[in-house]
Amino acid sequence: MKTGIHYGIHVFLPLAIALLFYRKQWFKAYVIMLLGFLIDIDHLLATPLFQADRCSINFHPLHSYYAIGIYVLLLIPNKTRVIALGLLAHIVADSADCMLI
């Protein structure tokens, strides 16, 4: 159930945002937001690489509170807003995962 919730948020939250706020170019916005998965590259720095009971938030560098602050600031310029929404949707999914641990 935890995995379903986690990946459901990863997939459907960006889709909902794209359909609600980027109706004319929803698919492009959706794909850009899905690229928020790329911040999981920082998991490669962890040992072990995957640990089911580890919370990503503030453990991995791109999931740190500092990084999240930068993602929030990226909401301000219109040019980076879709990217920021994707990154923050990723953080929401990982936060939900942390709450379910």
Side-chain angles (χ1 to χ4, degrees):
M1 184 169 145
K2 182 177 118 176
T3 303
I5 292 170
H6 178 80
Y7 287 106
I9 294 171
H10 268 304
V11 173
F12 295 114
L13 181 59
L15 180 61
I17 294 168
L19 291 172
L20 285 171
F21 299 107
Y22 298 94
R23 205 168 276 171
K24 290 182 182 178
Q25 294 186 318
W26 74 269
F27 186 74
K28 180 179 176 182
Y30 180 56
V31 169
I32 291 169
M33 284 188 271
L34 286 180
L35 291 174
F37 273 107
L38 292 175
I39 67 170
D40 277 343
I41 192 102
D42 63 0
H43 290 241
L44 295 174
L45 301 172
T47 304
L49 193 64
F50 175 75
Q51 190 174 352
D53 62 342
R54 179 173 60 211
C55 178
S56 295
I57 304 300
N58 214 36
F59 182 83
H60 302 293
L62 296 176
H63 294 72
S64 69
Y65 296 135
Y66 296 111
I68 294 168
I70 292 169
Y71 306 153
V72 169
L73 290 175
L74 288 173
L75 288 170
I76 298 168
N78 195 35
K79 291 181 181 183
T80 58
R81 191 166 296 144
V82 177
I83 296 166
L85 288 169
L87 293 168
L88 291 169
H90 181 96
I91 295 298
V92 167
D94 285 1
S95 296
D97 199 42
C98 292
M99 288 189 283
L100 295 171
I101 291 176

